[in-house]
Amino acid sequence: MRQKRRFFLSRIILYSVGFFAFLTGFKYLWRYMVRRVKGESVQIFAGRLSDMKEEVKEIRFRDEILLIIKKGEKVETFSSTCPHLGCKVEWIPSEKRFKCPCHGALFDEDGRVLSGPAPSPLKKIPTNVKDDEIMVEVGFYYED
Amino acid sequence: MKIDLEFLNEELPETLKDFFYALGGTPLFLFFLQVFTGVLLLIYYIPSYESAYESVYRITYTIPMGWWIRGLHRYGATLFIFTIFLHNIRVFVTRAYSSPREFTWVTGGILLMLSLGAGFTGYSLINDQLSYWATKVGTEIAGSLPLVGHWLSVLIKGGERISQFTISRLFTLHIFIIPLLLALFIAVHIFLVRRYGVSLESERKYPLIPEHLYLEISIFIFLLTFITLISAIFPPELGEKANPWKTPSHIKPEWYFYPLYLFLKLVPLKVGVLFPIFFLFIFLLYPFIEEGCERLTGRRGVLLLRTAGVLLYIYFVVAIIRESIY
Amino acid sequence: MKNYSYERVVTGILAVLMLIALIIVGGVEVQRRAGRIPEPYISAESLQCYECHTERGLSKISLIGWKKSKHGEKGVGCNECHLPAKEAGEEILSEKTECEDKKVKRSVSFHTCKRCHKKQFEEFEKGLHSSGMKNLELVLKTFGIDRDTTLCISCHSIGSEKNACSSCHVPHLYSTSSARRPETCARCHEGKEKAVYSYFLSSSHGTIFKVKGETWNWELKIEEWKPSLSRAASLIPDSPVCVFCHMVDGTHTVGLHKEFSFKGLRMAKRGIDIAKGREMGIDPGYAEEILNKRKEELKKVCMRCHTRNFFELNFKDLEKNLERADSYFLEALPSLNGRYDIDLFPLSQLNKDLLLYQRSYDFLTHFGKGAMY
């Protein structure tokens, strides 16, 4: 009887050690293949509110084009990447809404989906206006 | 179904438990390890003359665990060639190549040559000073062969000088042609071993499953642990980036080329290039040569031949030790 | 059964060893990760610029400098700076480029730098360096000369749009640590007419810099420079260099100390006509109360290390020496001027005036050095 138990125990120990070794090795492999992205953000100066004559201004920062929309004294910024499949969204002044030229997705001036294939609203970028200056918070990304 | 069950219940002679006789299986494991780590490295390696060094630098220093995968691949390669070499010595000493196992020896010899080729092309891909100059020297040696020399060196270099084309060629060789040939010849070699059986039989047998399986798993884990520890203690480094206008003060090939390297230092160039080729032929066709020798000169002749062989092996070991010290 | 467990035990031990080896690997990895700079995510366009330039072997130094810089670390790439801002001046916007993308410009306007470094830009605008070009134009207008400013631009362009930031922060390294060193200031503030750097080197402060400057940690921000006995103290600069007093606490408004230029303090004290000075384009406002205010600002900086009494004592000496030097200068001025009546060499008016300028400086530096502390 004791033989059987010892046999069983040694089997469990062996398998669990092997399992942990396998898990660790697998974890290392995963880290090798998939790199984590860390982010840092910075505020950039996007012009003066008083200088902004048009309703929507496009500014370009690194890979992205950001759309700054003026609503009276407030200002909001949206990413111009359409949440459907990534085309660049345009502002149509006559219709007062954003339209994506690829599949016709429409968004209102708050970025909400009006119609079309977009699954979610336009991504909002933190913005604030201080002393007539528009400061947009954008991110730097690191891959580790 | 029946065949499968039979295979699982196979019984192996107890001699296979002796590591000395199980040396053949080790390179097989290491081959799979090399393929696996090689594929992982392939994900980040860039085979361009401009970016190769940078990509290897990135793998070694930036990408998490990159240094470990690279270490496994590099020390795995060393161990791969080392165990093939040991296996070869064992087969020679125990005369396991005699009839009907001549072709097993031939394929084994080809496998040894292929693995040396894989080693050479592999470390030339890093494009640091050592890679560049080792490739240069290698192609110069190839180029000094009579008749085919220039053609051969142009074939390897992809032109008159070492350039992007060289890297592309060596890359294709290293990741596709040589592994494919290796796999092919391994299959043939194993087939021949199974066909003719292991050379040393024994009365006592033991089952394939589970005993032999445990043995193989132990060897596998041991190898992996060993290489992992070595990579952790001596992580792979990177030399300076390849500079065609600056020859480093010490150009040395990898350890498995030391016997050739020492030989080239001792004899004039023409001899130094022709003799190894001549020797290669003798090595690959050795079982047939020995049989011919036996028929012609009897046992004494064979004894002489084998002594010469042993002396050659001793030279190899001495050359490797000597060159590593200097 | 016996053989069985033997095999299993061996395998088990090996498995444990493998686990230990993996843990060691994990430890090494953590250690290596600590010293690693993570790879920044560079925008696709900047990567395009970088790769094309690398392929064609162009701008090698710039690429290397950029990679080593903080910009390179953070992934602020070619695109982010070399596409000019909308407010950039005509000179930059009309530049011709050999790049396939015609929007790319070699010169970078400070409006681009302003987008991220707004604070430094605004401080810079308030300081003296930003009027480098304006002053140059004023001097030329005052002397009524034609606009051949090629020899002046090398220093005065710090006031221009494209060279404002790059004069002290050399591209593409944009190293703040080298911008803190006096050698950077000596780029312009040295030479016969403005030998401030060599005055500095011959002073006590400058001597300490000469001897110990190599051991200081120039990466420290200016606001962190304070005398201290802590273990890291040997790395903190022991004595002030240009930036410590002229860019107090790292402000980019370069300016403190200017009241001691010979045109300033002395003019007011000697009762030289301020109106005339204005005509010559010299910044007026050296009224007594302004001078006193500046003395207080100077005192605050000196008192970070020295006592008030030390300051007052030395300041008194300084004022005395300057007054004495000025009186000798005033005495010599007519004869310096008078030399030109001989008209030995046919000099243009510009050269005559510049020669006077230079001669007076030469004369003054002899006494001026005595005023160095």
Side-chain angles (χ1 to χ4, degrees), chain B residues 17 50 54 58 60-65 67-68 210-211 214-215 217-218 221-222 224-225 228-229 232 235, chain C residues 3-4 7-8 10-11 14-15 17-18 21-22 24-26 28-29 32 36-39 50 54-55 67:
Chain B
K17 278 199 181 178
E50 289 297 322
E54 240 187 70
R58 189 183 294 133
T60 315
Y61 296 109
T62 311
I63 292 175
M65 296 302 168
W67 59 274
W68 181 46
E211 247 178 287
Y214 270 119
L215 196 69
I217 292 179
S218 312
I221 297 180
F222 171 71
L224 219 57
T225 314
T228 302
L229 278 175
Chain C
N3 285 347
Y4 230 142
E7 241 87 47
R8 189 176 284 129
V10 167
T11 313
L14 283 172
L17 283 176
M18 180 77 204
L22 284 177
I24 295 178
V25 163
V28 174
E29 165 67 16
R32 280 172 85 103
R36 201 160 61 199
I37 308 171
E39 251 184 84
Y50 185 84
T54 312
E55 244 175 78
K67 268 232 134 165

Side-chain angles (χ1 to χ4, degrees), chain C residues 91-124:
Chain C
E91 198 191 338
I92 294 185
L93 286 177
S94 59
E95 256 183 32
K96 293 221 191 319
T97 172
E98 279 176 29
C99 177
E100 269 91 24
D101 182 357
K102 293 299 168 198
K103 296 197 293 289
V104 171
K105 305 288 176 207
R106 181 191 295 263
S107 307
V108 178
S109 148
F110 54 27
H111 290 291
T112 312
C113 311
K114 172 176 82 176
R115 278 182 5 182
C116 297
H117 302 281
K118 193 160 90 75
K119 174 165 164 281
Q120 285 85 347
F121 176 76
E122 287 177 349
E123 289 171 355
F124 179 80

Side-chain angles (χ1 to χ4, degrees), chain A residues 7 10-11 14 17-18 20-21 24-25 28 31 35-36 40 43-45 58 60-63 133 135 140-144, chain C residues 8 11-12 15-16 19 22 25-26 33 36 38-41 43-45 73-76 79-80 86 114-116 118 122:
Chain A
F7 173 76
S10 66
R11 208 188 231 183
L14 183 68
V17 167
F20 276 120
T24 319
Y28 291 165
R31 285 282 286 119
R35 300 172 66 209
R36 294 194 296 224
E40 220 177 80
Q43 296 227 342
I44 60 162
F45 171 60
E58 268 181 22
R60 185 199 177 129
F61 190 72
R62 288 153 66 81
D63 269 345
E133 286 166 353
M135 303 297 285
F140 286 95
Y141 301 106
Y142 293 94
E143 289 182 338
D144 183 13
Chain C
R8 189 176 284 129
T11 313
V16 170
L19 194 62
L22 284 177
V25 163
R33 202 192 310 168
R36 201 160 61 199
E39 251 184 84
Y41 174 77
S43 67
E45 270 107 357
E73 259 178 57
K74 300 223 169 209
V76 178
N79 222 35
E80 277 79 67
K86 284 211 196 74
K114 172 176 82 176
R115 278 182 5 182
C116 297
K118 193 160 90 75
E122 287 177 349

Side-chain angles (χ1 to χ4, degrees), chain A residues 40-59:
Chain A
E40 220 177 80
S41 63
V42 78
Q43 296 227 342
I44 60 162
F45 171 60
R48 299 190 172 276
L49 189 56
S50 45
D51 283 342
M52 202 166 135
K53 293 182 207 66
E54 64 283 355
E55 198 171 349
V56 165
K57 182 161 95 152
E58 268 181 22
I59 67 161

Side-chain angles (χ1 to χ4, degrees), chain C residues 91-268:
Chain C
E91 198 191 338
I92 294 185
L93 286 177
S94 59
E95 256 183 32
K96 293 221 191 319
T97 172
E98 279 176 29
C99 177
E100 269 91 24
D101 182 357
K102 293 299 168 198
K103 296 197 293 289
V104 171
K105 305 288 176 207
R106 181 191 295 263
S107 307
V108 178
S109 148
F110 54 27
H111 290 291
T112 312
C113 311
K114 172 176 82 176
R115 278 182 5 182
C116 297
H117 302 281
K118 193 160 90 75
K119 174 165 164 281
Q120 285 85 347
F121 176 76
E122 287 177 349
E123 289 171 355
F124 179 80
E125 287 284 291
K126 286 195 267 196
L128 277 180
H129 278 167
S130 61
S131 44
M133 288 303 274
K134 279 191 281 211
N135 279 348
L136 177 64
E137 283 163 29
L138 204 54
V139 165
L140 292 175
K141 207 167 64 177
T142 314
F143 285 106
I145 315 157
D146 260 326
R147 201 192 185 92
D148 179 16
T149 53
T150 37
L151 296 175
C152 318
I153 294 268
S154 60
C155 290
H156 277 265
S157 64
I158 191 170
S160 78
E161 194 184 339
K162 39 180 196 178
N163 282 335
C165 310
S166 30
S167 297
C168 300
H169 296 279
V170 181
H172 288 68
L173 273 175
Y174 285 112
S175 155
T176 40
S177 57
S178 44
R180 294 184 187 108
R181 292 189 66 118
E183 289 92 338
T184 307
C185 313
R187 196 185 144 182
C188 296
H189 294 276
E190 173 61 312
K192 269 210 131 174
E193 295 160 12
K194 41 195 163 75
V196 190
Y197 180 63
S198 47
Y199 297 169
F200 169 69
L201 286 180
S202 62
S203 68
S204 309
H205 291 163
T207 309
I208 299 180
F209 161 72
K210 272 189 292 203
V211 172
K212 303 203 74 201
E214 280 317 303
T215 62
W216 296 341
N217 178 12
W218 294 94
E219 301 284 344
L220 288 171
K221 294 209 173 97
I222 300 173
E223 45 265 41
E224 293 167 16
W225 295 2
K226 33 171 102 50
S228 141
L229 277 175
S230 73
R231 186 183 299 180
S234 57
L235 301 175
I236 304 178
D238 295 295
S239 106
V241 292
C242 318
V243 295
F244 186 76
C245 302
H246 291 281
M247 290 176 66
V248 178
D249 283 333
T251 176
H252 277 65
T253 310
V254 180
L256 187 67
H257 256 44
K258 64 180 165 73
E259 65 274 18
F260 294 108
S261 75
F262 88 109
K263 293 197 289 289
L265 165 73
R266 281 70 145 267
M267 286 189 86

Side-chain angles (χ1 to χ4, degrees), chain A residues 61-79:
Chain A
F61 190 72
R62 288 153 66 81
D63 269 345
E64 289 217 46
I65 296 187
L66 306 175
L67 302 162
I68 305 183
I69 177 169
K70 178 168 70 170
K71 296 178 184 170
E73 283 305 309
K74 272 176 64 241
V75 149
E76 279 178 359
T77 310
F78 297 106
S79 159

